Amino acid sequence: MGNRKTEKSNYIVQGSILAIASIVVRIIGMLYRIPVTNIIGDVGNDYYSGAFEIYNIILLISSYSLPLAVSKLVAARVKLEQYRNAMRLFRGALLFALVSGTLGALFTFFCADFLATQVVHTPQSAMALRVLSAAVFILAIMGVIRGYFQGLGTMMPTAVSQILEQIINAVVSIAAAGWLFRYGLELDQKAGMVNGTKAASYGAAGSTLGTSAGALAALLFLIAVMLLYNRVLQKRLKRDRTRRLMSYSSLLKTLLLTILPVILSTAIYNINSVIDQGVFKYLMLEVLKKDSLMVSQQWGAFTGKYKLLTNVPIAVASALSASTIPALTAARISGNRKEMRQETEEAIRMVMMVCIPSAVGLTALGEPIVQLLFHEGIELSGKLFLYGSASVVFYGLSTLTNGILQGIDQMRLPVIHAAIALVSHLLLLLVLVVVGDLDIYAVMAAYMFFALMMCVLNALAIRRHLNYRQEIRRTFLIPTFASLIMGISIWLLYEFVHENLGNTVTLCICVPLAVLIYAVFILVLQGVTPEELSNLPKGRSLVRLLKKLHLL
């Protein structure tokens, strides 16, 4: 019993480490995209987005599923103390990554013009896409190493490598975007073009250069960690008394059978961004004959401001999804359905405690935050946050529930659900753009609807396969009530104060106050228990402090 509690506590701690790292990574990502956006503008962001959306899909097919699949399979063998089979699986996955990463990189580089022109209707994205081809190969190798460590039950190498990757990415992206934007501007001036596209195109390519540089730095770090870990690994291998070693052919078959459903579900889940951009631009430019510069500015604001800021809290769901899979796999192998349900409930509650207040906060202060961070597109971005911040909740929950279904070995269900949501949201997008004439707001509405459909379908599946009943009061009602009090309070405060103190000073007061108000009401309403807080890093010290303050 004590060993089981120790394992559970370890999963929570490891999940917290990865969640914190993911939040740090998203914050760094948001912070460096601010100066990059101010350098290349919304039009440059449009070109950057076109390249990055295609790159993400190629990455999903070639390597994105590897960390999840490797962690799942390694965790199953470590649970049975089959360390030699776990190592053989790692080597087989590494061989697979070398092949898939090479093919993905070559395809990205040589097909860049076709993909940029025909898929996302943004020819200026081709240069940036070619720059990203190196990252496709590097991330395939890196994904296997990260997945191996996660399967062993340690998230620290993944967490540190993610932060290192993003820091290098940020520095190189800002420097390269600035230098190449100025170079492109000179080319436009020499050609006598006032509204030329070379500056934005070169700037977008510069901003993608950091992705490859950051990935390379992270890979070198993980290789160093593997070499340091080798002594511990050799001791485990010597203790392994497994009689039957799996052949590399059977391991590769197992890996493929695990990867393919993940690839399909993740690709369909994420391909909606590429489809949205291609369909939206085709309808706006070819059917409705809208101005191309206006369309680029709208899409740049949607991806470079709205999606950029909403993705920060969604990082928690992605991290918990990655860390929940080994825990659920171990519980499934042990046949402990009660623990599987408990892991599911705790993960959903943690995600909602972050995503709900984030959505309300962005609704209340979205436009002031955009005004503080960016130089253009403020009014449009502010309205996107006002109407569409609920996407934080929907995408946070759908991402997590995808991971839960994969963790309980229902790999095909996220594929089916994503396909249904994809078709449904595409039909809605067509109607809202052509009939409703809603421009970029149509994309925002379809984007939210896709995630909402995934939430509903995944929830029904989890209920059916785990005999799971979702707890409502502490998971949804208390965070929502506390968030509404927080949101109304800071909105009223901002409205009364910002004219006298200015936007920056008022936000510096409102944001920390929002966190404090939400935290106090969550504790007072008993939305979180002392036991749950104690499981977090430094949780016991936090519980003692809160009890002294009479908040627990």
Side-chain angles (χ1 to χ4, degrees):
M1 185 70 178
N3 186 47
R4 190 173 294 171
K5 280 189 174 180
T6 303
E7 284 185 13
K8 181 181 173 184
S9 177
N10 180 60
Y11 282 130
I12 292 172
V13 170
Q14 295 300 327
S16 300
I17 289 170
L18 197 57
I20 292 167
S22 295
I23 293 169
V24 171
V25 165
R26 291 299 178 101
I27 290 173
I28 295 171
M30 180 190 72
L31 292 176
Y32 92 79
R33 288 305 306 170
I34 293 166
V36 168
T37 296
N38 289 330
I39 290 169
I40 66 177
D42 283 340
V43 175
N45 253 337
D46 175 40
Y47 302 161
Y48 169 86
S49 168
F52 222 84
E53 297 293 1
I54 295 172
Y55 158 78
N56 275 335
I57 296 301
I58 295 170
L59 198 64
L60 288 170
I61 295 170
S62 64
S63 63
Y64 187 81
S65 58
L66 284 171
L68 189 149
V70 171
S71 71
K72 183 174 187 285
L73 294 172
V74 169
R77 279 143 191 83
V78 168
K79 181 71 177 178
L80 300 172
E81 297 186 351
Q82 296 180 1
Y83 296 109
R84 284 193 287 174
N85 276 333
M87 174 51 70
R88 289 170 77 85
L89 193 145
F90 168 71
R91 290 169 180 163
L94 205 56
L95 176 62
F96 179 87
L98 284 168
V99 175
S100 65
T102 301
L103 293 174
L106 292 174
F107 176 78
T108 305
F109 186 86
F110 289 107
C111 297
D113 286 314
F114 172 81
L115 294 169
T117 304
Q118 301 300 323
V119 177
V120 291
H121 298 278
T122 314
Q124 298 86 351
S125 297
M127 189 190 307
L129 191 55
R130 285 196 180 90
V131 174
L132 287 167
S133 61
V136 174
F137 174 78
I138 296 168
L139 285 166
I141 309 300
M142 186 162 59
V144 174
I145 302 176
R146 283 175 171 172
Y148 182 65
F149 279 118
Q150 288 169 213
L152 293 175
T154 173
M155 306 294 172
M156 190 61 76
T158 296
V160 176
S161 68
Q162 284 178 343
I163 294 172
L164 175 64
E165 178 184 359
Q166 195 69 313
I167 290 172
I168 301 298
N169 184 3
V171 173
V172 175
S173 291
I174 295 170
W179 182 72
L180 286 175
F181 183 85
R182 288 191 295 271
Y183 176 72
L185 195 61
E186 291 176 4
L187 294 178
D188 281 333
Q189 290 172 348
K190 287 178 181 178
M193 301 181 71
V194 179
N195 292 319
T197 60
K198 289 190 181 298
S201 179
Y202 274 82
S207 67
T208 60
L209 188 62
T211 304
S212 297
L216 180 60
L219 177 61
L220 294 175
F221 168 79
L222 286 169
I223 291 172
V225 173
M226 281 291 294
L227 294 173
L228 291 172
Y229 181 73
N230 188 57
R231 183 180 297 178
V232 176
L233 183 60
Q234 292 303 319
K235 288 181 180 179
R236 283 187 171 186
L237 292 174
K238 287 178 182 178
R239 292 201 309 267
D240 187 357
R241 295 293 180 264
T242 304
R243 293 182 180 180
R244 182 172 173 271
L245 292 178
M246 297 180 70
S247 66
Y248 281 112
S249 60
S250 63
L251 283 171
L252 282 171
K253 182 180 177 182
T254 304
L255 187 66
L256 283 171
L257 290 174
T258 307
I259 284 173
L260 288 175
V262 178
I263 288 175
L264 286 171
S265 63
T266 315
I268 295 173
Y269 185 65
N270 288 274
I271 202 172
N272 67 312
S273 296
V274 175
I275 292 176
D276 284 354
Q277 184 169 2
V279 170
F280 173 70
K281 287 198 167 184
Y282 175 79
L283 294 174
M284 293 287 282
L285 298 174
E286 303 298 329
V287 177
L288 301 179
K289 305 297 182 183
K290 298 287 182 81
D291 178 64
S292 61
L293 183 61
M294 181 269 289
V295 173
S296 287
Q297 288 171 339
Q298 286 192 359
W299 190 264
F302 175 73
T303 58
K305 297 182 177 71
Y306 171 75
K307 287 181 71 173
L308 176 69
L309 295 179
T310 55
N311 276 340
V312 175
I314 295 171
V316 178
S318 299
L320 278 171
S321 175
S323 61
T324 298
I325 287 172
L328 284 170
T329 302
R332 179 177 57 81
I333 291 171
S334 301
N336 193 335
R337 294 181 67 82
K338 181 180 178 181
E339 187 176 342
M340 291 167 71
R341 288 191 290 268
Q342 193 170 347
E343 291 283 351
T344 298
E345 182 179 315
E346 290 178 359
I348 292 174
R349 185 181 300 130
M350 288 180 68
V351 166
M352 290 300 96
M353 284 184 64
V354 174
C355 288
I356 292 174
S358 299
V360 174
L362 285 171
T363 302
L365 296 178
E367 186 169 340
I369 291 172
V370 172
Q371 185 179 343
L372 173 67
L373 299 177
F374 301 104
H375 296 159
E376 62 181 33
I378 295 168
E379 184 180 354
L380 172 60
S381 303
K383 288 181 179 178
L384 288 173
F385 284 114
L386 181 63
Y387 304 139
S389 293
S391 64
V392 172
V393 178
F394 301 147
Y395 269 92
L397 187 56
S398 61
T399 300
L400 177 64
T401 50
N402 269 356
I404 290 170
L405 287 171
Q406 290 159 359
I408 63 174
D409 212 29
Q410 296 297 325
M411 310 292 287
R412 64 185 180 84
L413 291 180
V415 180
I416 297 170
H417 299 166
I420 294 170
L422 183 66
V423 174
S424 302
H425 112 284
L426 186 57
L427 292 173
L428 179 64
L429 178 62
L430 288 168
V431 172
L432 294 179
V433 172
V434 178
V435 180
D437 197 22
L438 293 180
D439 291 354
I440 198 65
Y441 299 107
V443 180
M444 179 203 72
Y447 174 77
M448 293 172 62
F449 180 74
F450 175 88
L452 177 61
M453 286 283 292
M454 289 293 297
C455 288
V456 173
L457 295 171
N458 285 353
L460 292 173
I462 291 170
R463 178 174 180 172
R464 184 170 65 253
H465 289 281
L466 280 182
N467 193 25
Y468 177 74
R469 296 293 180 271
Q470 179 63 53
E471 190 277 334
I472 300 296
R473 189 179 71 89
R474 292 177 59 226
T475 305
F476 296 105
L477 297 183
I478 291 177
T480 300
F481 184 69
S483 299
L484 288 174
I485 294 173
M486 174 268 291
I488 293 170
S489 301
I490 60 171
W491 179 76
L492 289 172
L493 177 63
Y494 182 86
E495 289 299 311
F496 279 110
V497 173
H498 83 278
E499 288 188 6
N500 295 321
L501 296 182
N503 186 53
T504 303
V505 175
T506 307
L507 281 178
C508 289
I509 297 170
C510 286
V511 173
L513 187 61
V515 175
L516 181 62
I517 292 171
Y518 176 72
V520 168
F521 274 93
I522 278 289
L523 294 169
V524 169
L525 296 170
Q526 299 180 346
V528 62
T529 65
E531 291 76 17
E532 289 169 342
L533 287 174
S534 296
N535 287 325
L536 298 174
K538 300 293 182 182
R540 292 181 180 177
S541 301
L542 179 61
V543 168
R544 285 196 295 269
L545 174 63
L546 293 172
K547 284 183 176 179
K548 287 180 181 179
L549 297 172
H550 302 289
L551 291 173
L552 277 178

